[in-house]
Amino acid sequence: MKPCHGGLALEIVVPVFNEETVLEKSITTLANYLTLEMPSSWQITIADNASTDNTPSIATRLAEELPNVTYRRLNAKGRGHALRDAWSASNAEVLAYLDVDLSTDLAALPPLVAPLLSGHSDISIGTRLGQNSRVSRGPKREFISRSYNFLLKRTMQVRFSDAQCGFKAIRADVARRLLPHVEDNGWFFDTELLIIAERSGLRIHEIPVDWVDDPDSRVDIRQTAIDDVRGLVRVAGSLVRGSIPVQAIYAELGRRPIVPQSRPSFFGQVVRFGMVGAISTMAFALLFMLLQGPFGAQEANFLALLLTAVGNTAANRRFTFGINGPEKLFTQQFQGLVVFALAWSITSSSLMALHVISPDASATMELVTLTGANVLATLMRFVLLRIWVFRVRSSEGTSKVAAAGVQPAPVA
């Protein structure tokens, strides 16, 4: 762990709302642990967000009695409000937060902040869903947590495993860059912060934690789930519209490839496009068989085509056209669906046209027509992906190419 050179190395924020029963014990336990185990300079900030019980008086007394403990109060309720306020006012090198009930074993604190103090990572999170994590909580909360993170992975294509664990840390310079773009001030604050960070190419470090759930938790699970889904829709829309400047953040703070990747040659793109297409066809067949039972043929066909199209675009982006990084990720997925719809319209209308021209067309003629339509649709998809969706504009200069981790395509 890198020693702090003169300034404050670590500030741990503990958001609280009506926590008079556990506050003193938890803050005392945390302060004693940091005194014994944390080699860098540290500070604890109790971030009170509109408590109405005795929390303010207890927190004020703790700040007076314990060294390195401070107290801040907001009149607005919300964990996001509390963290935004405390982190924005901090002059520490690394900012962290943990739940006041100390559900997470404090032994995970040094490994949580070490990769940030050393500069290895940008954000560090505890995960209760890691292979080596040890968690004690009821089946209802376990199901909800895993379902939420599964939904997050499938809809937002994120790689971090546990968005809502109340045990996170972030480099202060990264926080200053990301916080203005995080709109939520409640429980979705964490998820939104992590999505923007990952889309911006920042490195998120995960550590497995030992977690004992607080049976007295007052979180409204139903309302929190509704708010989280609304948040996902809002953030996805913002990313598609480009209102969150992930490209600019990536250019400023993102982790770029050590060695810039080369865009495959035209022949290489053709070969890779064919390989992706073959795999997509097999994936479609498997999905159709799995979905046909519960949904019916037409619905299964649509869902399988949609899922395959998303996977196909992602694979062609990375494998066929050699594009890494978050730049235009959602835009290119949307364009990929447009291309897919055009290709699907060609194949689906080919038979209709044949039957209009020749109502008594034989099965052989139908097969020949579909084959020809598929060849035409495939050629059209490749051309549109190459010259529209994944086009590299030479006039945009080398800086943009470098930000995408791509080199200009050689002339075919």
Side-chain angles (χ1 to χ4, degrees):
M1 188 179 299
K2 187 180 69 175
C4 182
H5 300 288
L8 180 62
L10 172 64
E11 177 164 350
I12 300 175
V13 178
V14 183
V16 294
F17 173 74
N18 290 346
E19 301 290 354
E20 61 181 4
T21 58
V22 300
L23 180 59
E24 181 166 1
K25 180 181 179 182
S26 295
I27 296 299
T28 303
T29 301
L30 178 60
N32 290 337
Y33 177 84
L34 291 171
T35 300
L36 295 174
E37 303 294 341
M38 186 59 65
S40 303
S41 56
W42 54 269
Q43 175 177 293
I44 299 171
T45 295
I46 304 169
D48 178 11
N49 51 108
S51 292
T52 55
D53 61 359
N54 291 322
T55 294
S57 59
I58 298 172
T60 301
R61 178 170 53 79
L62 289 171
E64 293 172 350
E65 295 177 352
L66 298 177
N68 302 333
V69 175
T70 64
Y71 170 59
R72 299 179 66 86
R73 176 175 171 80
L74 285 177
N75 292 323
K77 184 181 176 183
R79 182 171 69 178
H81 271 306
L83 293 176
R84 187 190 304 276
D85 173 71
W87 284 357
S88 298
S90 177
N91 59 0
E93 185 178 348
V94 170
L95 311 169
Y97 91 87
L98 50 79
D99 291 339
V100 69
D101 54 19
L102 300 186
S103 294
T104 305
D105 185 356
L106 292 178
L109 194 52
L112 179 79
V113 301
L116 307 185
L117 289 169
S118 68
H120 173 270
S121 300
D122 305 302
I123 295 179
S124 186
I125 66 174
T127 176
R128 298 160 295 185
L129 305 178
Q131 188 175 6
N132 296 321
S133 303
R134 296 188 300 176
V135 177
S136 172
R137 59 179 169 181
K140 179 181 179 182
R141 287 183 176 274
E142 183 74 14
F143 174 78
I144 291 174
S145 175
R146 290 188 178 276
S147 298
Y148 176 67
N149 284 285
F150 177 82
L151 175 67
L152 199 55
K153 285 178 179 291
R154 292 299 174 267
T155 57
M156 303 300 290
Q157 300 294 307
V158 300
R159 294 188 294 273
F160 52 83
S161 64
D162 190 354
Q164 292 289 33
C165 182
F167 194 73
K168 294 183 175 69
I170 183 172
R171 281 190 7 233
D173 59 328
V174 174
R176 284 192 293 271
R177 192 68 176 88
L178 297 186
L179 284 180
H181 308 291
V182 179
E183 295 185 19
D184 192 85
N185 287 308
W187 295 104
F188 188 69
F189 175 90
D190 298 36
T191 302
E192 187 168 359
L193 181 74
L194 292 177
I195 291 174
I196 296 175
E198 190 168 279
R199 286 285 177 268
S200 302
L202 303 182
R203 177 177 287 167
I204 299 176
H205 179 76
E206 292 194 357
I207 62 167
V209 298
D210 293 341
W211 175 281
V212 179
D213 204 19
D214 177 13
D216 190 37
S217 175
R218 287 160 284 172
V219 177
D220 185 339
I221 296 178
R222 179 180 177 277
Q223 187 58 49
T224 300
I226 294 173
D227 292 341
D228 286 348
V229 172
R230 287 174 178 167
L232 288 178
V233 174
R234 175 177 54 76
V235 171
S238 297
L239 290 170
V240 171
R241 292 193 301 273
S243 57
I244 301 176
V246 292
Q247 297 172 31
I249 299 172
Y250 177 72
E252 182 179 344
L253 299 172
R255 305 275 176 170
R256 300 176 184 176
I258 297 175
V259 179
Q261 294 186 344
S262 300
R263 191 177 175 97
S265 65
F266 177 78
F267 179 74
Q269 291 175 7
V270 171
V271 172
R272 293 173 185 229
F273 180 79
M275 294 172 64
V276 171
I279 295 173
S280 297
T281 301
M282 290 187 287
F284 167 79
L286 180 61
L287 285 170
F288 181 78
M289 286 189 293
L290 292 174
L291 297 173
Q292 188 178 18
F295 292 102
Q298 288 293 344
E299 292 81 1
N301 180 49
F302 175 78
L303 290 173
L305 284 172
L306 180 63
L307 293 173
T308 305
V310 172
N312 182 281
T313 300
N316 276 315
R317 183 179 190 270
R318 175 69 181 86
F319 183 65
T320 303
F321 298 99
I323 297 178
N324 284 320
E327 186 176 15
K328 295 183 178 179
L329 177 61
F330 278 81
T331 301
Q332 289 168 344
Q333 274 291 353
F334 177 75
Q335 291 172 326
L337 289 176
V338 173
V339 172
F340 164 77
L342 291 173
W344 177 77
S345 67
I346 291 176
T347 56
S348 62
S349 61
S350 62
L351 279 181
M352 295 174 60
L354 173 65
H355 291 151
V356 170
I357 298 171
S358 177
D360 299 324
S362 65
T364 302
M365 182 58 69
E366 291 179 341
L367 179 60
V368 170
T369 300
L370 278 176
T371 302
N374 270 299
V375 171
L376 177 62
T378 301
L379 290 174
M380 185 208 67
R381 286 193 69 241
F382 178 76
V383 171
L384 287 180
L385 289 177
R386 190 170 192 270
I387 68 173
W388 179 47
V389 179
F390 302 121
R391 176 179 55 173
V392 175
R393 299 177 181 176
S394 57
S395 60
E396 293 180 351
T398 55
S399 59
K400 189 169 183 177
V401 172
V406 174
Q407 292 182 347
V411 177

